[in-house]
C-alpha cells in the first residue's frame, strides 16, 4: 500500500525507512478486516489517514529510549500500538484488548510483519498487573476511567529518553476530541500537555482532535473520585 500522506507529513519516517512496513501493516489490517470487524468499513477505506497517520502523530512527541516498554490499552486492530512498534523497534509493546479474536488477529499481523517486539494480551485493561514506561490509547473509554486503568500501570521512575538532555516524557498518552475538558472538569488530574493534531497534519479529519499527555502520578493524584451528587 502506498502512503502518500505519511510521506508528505512525516518525511522523517521515510528517511528512517519505515514507510514500507507501515504500508504492509495497512494492507494486512484491510485483509483481516474482510474476515473480522477489526475497524469500521469506512475507516478501512481511509486506513492511511484515519489509523496510520493518526497514530503517527505520537512520534512527533515521543522520544523513548532503547528497551522502553509500552502498553496500548483497547488496541482493537492494533492502533496505535502496531504503528508505534514499527517506528520504535528498540522498544517493547504489549497490546491489550478484552476481545480475544482481535488480539489473535493483531498477533498474526505482527507475525506477518516480523515484529518481534509485540505481544498481545486478551484481557481487560483493569486486570493487568505489569508496569510500563508508556501507556497509550485511542477511542477506548471516558478519560477518567482510562486514567484509572492506566496510571497504576506506570513505572514511577522515569525511563531514559533517546537523546541525553531531553526531559523525560513517559506517562499516559491518550487521543481525544474537545470533550476532554468536560470529562476532566473538577479532576485534579489535568494533562501536562495538549497538542492539537491539526498542527502536525493540517487536514479536516484532524480538526478538534488532540493528543493529551499525563506524566506518571503517585496514587494520591490519580485516585480521583467524582463527588457524589
Ligand atoms: C473503538 S475501539 C478502538 C480501538 C483502537 N484503539 C483504535 O483506535 O482503533 C475500542 C476497543 O477497546 C476495547 N476495550 C473496551 N474496554 C476494554 C477494557 N476494559 N479492556 C481492554 N479493552 C477494552 C474494545 O474491545 C475495542 O476493541
Amino acid at each position: 500500500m502506498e502512503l502518500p500522506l505519511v510521506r508528505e507529513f512525516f518525511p522523517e519516517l521515510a528517511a528512517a525507512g519505515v514507510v514500507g512496513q507501515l504500508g504492509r501493516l495497512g494492507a494486512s489490517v484491510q485483509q483481516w478486516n474482510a474476515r473480522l470487524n477489526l475497524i469500521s468499513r469506512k475507516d478501512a477505506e481511509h486506513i492511511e489517514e484515519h489509523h496510520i497517520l493518526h497514530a503517527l502523530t505520537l512520534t512527533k512527541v515521543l522520544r523513548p529510549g532503547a528497551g522502553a516498554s509500552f502498553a496500548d490499552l483497547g488496541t482493537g486492530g492494533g492502533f496505535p500500538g502496531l504503528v508505534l512498534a514499527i517506528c520504535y523497534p528498540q522498544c517493547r509493546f504489549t497490546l491489550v484488548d478484552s476481545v480475544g479474536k482481535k488480539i489473535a488477529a493483531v498477533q498474526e499481523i505482527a507475525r506477518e510483519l516480523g515484529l518481534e517486539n509485540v505481544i498481545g494480551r486478551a484481557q481487560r485493561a483493569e486486570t493487568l498487573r505489569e508496569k510500563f514506561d508508556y501507556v497509550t490509547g485511542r477511542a477506548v473509554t471516558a478519560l477518567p476511567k482510562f486514567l484509572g486503568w492506566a496510571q497504576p500501570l506506570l513505572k514511577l521512575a522515569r525511563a531514559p529518553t533517546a537523546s541525553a538532555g531531553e526531559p523525560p516524557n513517559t506517562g499516559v498518552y491518550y487521543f481525544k476530541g474537545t470533550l476532554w475538558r468536560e470529562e476532566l472538569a473538577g479532576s485534579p488530574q489535568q494533562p501536562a500537555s495538549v497538542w492539537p493534531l491539526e498542527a502536525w497534519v493540517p487536514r479536516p479529519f484532524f480538526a478538534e482532535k488532540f493528543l493529551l499527555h499525563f506524566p506518571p502520578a503517585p496514587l494520591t493524584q490519580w485516585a480521583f473520585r467524582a463527588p457524589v451528587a
Side-chain angles (χ1 to χ4, degrees):
M1 175 185 287
E2 288 301 315
L3 299 176
L5 296 174
V6 172
R7 290 184 188 280
E8 180 180 349
F9 293 106
F10 295 84
E12 66 276 20
L13 296 178
V18 298
V19 179
Q21 269 290 66
L22 292 169
R24 282 188 281 283
L25 169 67
S28 180
V29 172
Q30 279 182 334
Q31 276 171 11
W32 274 91
N33 217 45
R35 286 190 261 165
L36 188 71
N37 244 4
L38 279 181
I39 59 180
S40 78
R41 187 165 296 183
K42 185 166 162 244
D43 281 342
E45 283 169 16
H46 299 280
I47 193 163
E48 180 185 15
E49 181 160 32
H50 292 195
H51 285 275
I52 298 174
L53 215 54
H54 198 173
L56 282 178
T57 57
L58 275 159
T59 65
K60 295 291 189 189
V61 293
L62 291 177
R63 296 288 176 267
S69 55
F70 284 74
D72 184 31
L73 307 183
T75 193
F79 295 95
L82 285 177
V83 170
L84 295 178
I86 290 172
C87 295
Y88 303 120
Q90 77 282 14
C91 302
R92 292 173 289 119
F93 291 83
T94 300
L95 274 47
V96 184
D97 203 285
S98 50
V99 178
K101 62 186 176 179
K102 290 188 181 180
I103 289 299
V106 160
Q107 279 175 312
E108 189 50 32
I109 293 167
R111 198 193 59 76
E112 284 169 14
L113 296 175
L115 294 175
E116 290 176 359
N117 57 341
V118 173
I119 58 167
R121 287 280 164 72
Q123 66 183 86
R124 295 190 66 83
E126 53 273 47
T127 65
L128 275 179
R129 291 294 173 263
E130 292 154 62
K131 296 283 182 190
F132 303 90
D133 298 304
Y134 298 87
V135 177
T136 58
R138 182 182 76 160
V140 182
T141 188
L143 252 175
K145 199 182 214 184
F146 190 85
L147 291 170
W149 299 345
Q151 279 288 7
L153 301 179
L154 285 174
K155 295 177 190 170
L156 279 178
R158 302 285 180 86
T161 44
S163 338
E166 279 189 26
N169 66 352
T170 59
V172 180
Y173 287 81
Y174 198 72
F175 289 108
K176 193 81 197 179
T178 47
L179 203 60
W180 75 264
R181 286 191 196 85
E182 205 175 299
E183 287 188 354
L184 291 182
S187 167
Q189 185 154 254
Q190 297 295 322
S193 302
V194 179
W195 296 278
L197 302 191
E198 225 181 357
W200 295 315
V201 190
R203 291 174 58 87
F205 176 73
F206 293 95
E208 310 216 327
K209 288 186 169 72
F210 301 91
L211 174 61
L212 280 63
H213 173 221
F214 302 83
L219 175 77
T220 47
Q221 283 177 38
W222 59 257
F224 167 71
R225 297 281 177 273
V228 179

